[in-house]
Amino acid sequence: MGRKYPEEYYLFFEKFNEGEYYECHDLLEEIWLTDRQNKYLQGLLQVAVAIYHFENGNIYGSRALFQSAYQYLQPYRPEYWDLDLEPVIEFIEKALSVLPNERRISIEEVKKIDFPKIQLHLNKE
């Protein structure tokens, strides 16, 4: 039985749930570069990179990417490519609400923030 989507899409979810956000970027970018009109992929890619930036104290970059991901994912609600986007949108909203106003913070400060967690799973067919 063949898979419905590119292999990198499935690997993205594995790496995302393992907290390998930089690798997520590389996986989805491969697909997105062949279809730059797919804002859904760009939005998911940006969620992963936003978390990566947050974990490294780049609050400015994290906020900017979460905001653009939020906008990119809106037209694909409530579900697209077998992913329920409602929890993703809620996660983005929560993440934005806890980001401090600084542009950059230390890793020690990052660890003190009650940052939301999310696991992404495709809906079964």
Side-chain angles (χ1 to χ4, degrees):
M1 181 172 103
R3 289 196 148 175
K4 197 171 176 180
Y5 307 108
E7 187 62 27
E8 294 86 356
Y9 184 65
Y10 298 99
L11 290 172
F12 166 84
F13 291 98
E14 287 179 32
K15 293 299 179 185
F16 188 96
N17 292 336
E18 292 170 0
E20 300 291 333
Y21 303 114
Y22 192 83
E23 288 184 42
C24 289
H25 169 272
D26 292 344
L27 288 166
L28 280 194
E29 188 175 53
E30 287 183 40
I31 307 169
W32 179 70
L33 287 174
T34 64
D35 182 11
R36 289 182 184 257
Q37 299 306 311
N38 191 330
K39 297 300 182 186
Y40 165 74
L41 291 175
Q42 190 174 3
L44 283 185
L45 188 153
Q46 288 184 342
V47 169
V49 177
I51 298 169
Y52 176 81
H53 280 306
F54 168 76
E55 289 180 342
N56 289 285
N58 179 359
I59 304 304
Y60 178 81
S62 180
R63 180 178 290 105
L65 287 168
F66 274 130
Q67 288 171 337
S68 62
Y70 186 85
Q71 295 304 315
Y72 285 145
L73 294 174
Q74 291 301 320
Y76 299 97
R77 291 171 88 177
E79 182 180 312
Y80 192 76
W81 277 26
D82 296 327
L83 178 66
D84 180 0
L85 287 167
E86 297 312 308
V88 178
I89 296 297
E90 287 177 27
F91 168 77
I92 293 171
E93 291 169 346
K94 288 178 186 172
L96 285 168
S97 75
V98 300
L99 291 179
N101 290 325
E102 291 87 0
R103 291 179 65 86
R104 178 166 285 286
I105 60 174
S106 70
I107 300 301
E108 293 75 31
E109 291 174 278
V110 166
K111 293 176 183 175
K112 294 177 186 175
I113 294 173
D114 186 19
F115 196 76
K117 306 274 187 262
I118 187 171
Q119 294 277 297
L120 299 179
H121 302 284
L122 295 176
N123 293 329
K124 303 290 182 216
E125 297 179 299

